[in-house]
Amino acid sequence: MLALEQEIKGLVIESLNLEDITPDDIDTDAPLFVEGLGLDSIDALELGLALQKRYGVSLSADSAETRAHFASVRALAAFVASARKQ
């Protein structure tokens, strides 16, 4: 799971063009939105598309479940890992 978390951190940085941030700068348990990385809804869409392309996962645009998956890098990694098993 650690490798997947690092991979997702890299994907966040790459897909959102975050400059001056390395995967080590992103706290695995920190919120991705508002506090933490401070991402917004446009970032969520871009990140969602990047996750779909890379991992083949499907996300519904505006569900409480999707918001829970985007809570942190750890939550995203858990979602991707469970989606891969299906």
Side-chain angles (χ1 to χ4, degrees), residues 33 40-49 51-52 57-71 76 79:
F33 298 92
D40 61 23
S41 58
I42 307 268
D43 295 327
L45 288 173
E46 289 181 23
L47 184 54
L49 287 173
L51 287 163
Q52 287 174 329
V57 297
S58 81
L59 298 156
S60 67
D62 192 34
S63 74
E65 192 176 87
T66 298
R67 279 194 288 280
H69 296 319
F70 277 82
L76 277 177
F79 167 67

Side-chain angles (χ1 to χ4, degrees), residues 7 12 19 29-30 32-34 46 72-73 76-78:
E7 209 174 283
V12 168
E19 296 176 9
D29 294 309
L32 293 175
F33 298 92
V34 189
E46 289 181 23
S72 66
V73 169
L76 277 177

Side-chain angles (χ1 to χ4, degrees), residues 4-50:
L4 182 56
E5 289 170 358
Q6 283 299 108
E7 209 174 283
I8 288 174
K9 288 178 184 184
L11 184 66
V12 168
I13 292 166
E14 177 188 316
S15 63
L16 303 179
N17 298 316
L18 300 178
E19 296 176 9
D20 304 324
I21 292 183
T22 68
D24 293 333
D25 293 334
I26 300 173
D27 182 342
T28 307
D29 294 309
L32 293 175
F33 298 92
V34 189
E35 3 31 267
L37 275 184
L39 304 183
D40 61 23
S41 58
I42 307 268
D43 295 327
L45 288 173
E46 289 181 23
L47 184 54
L49 287 173

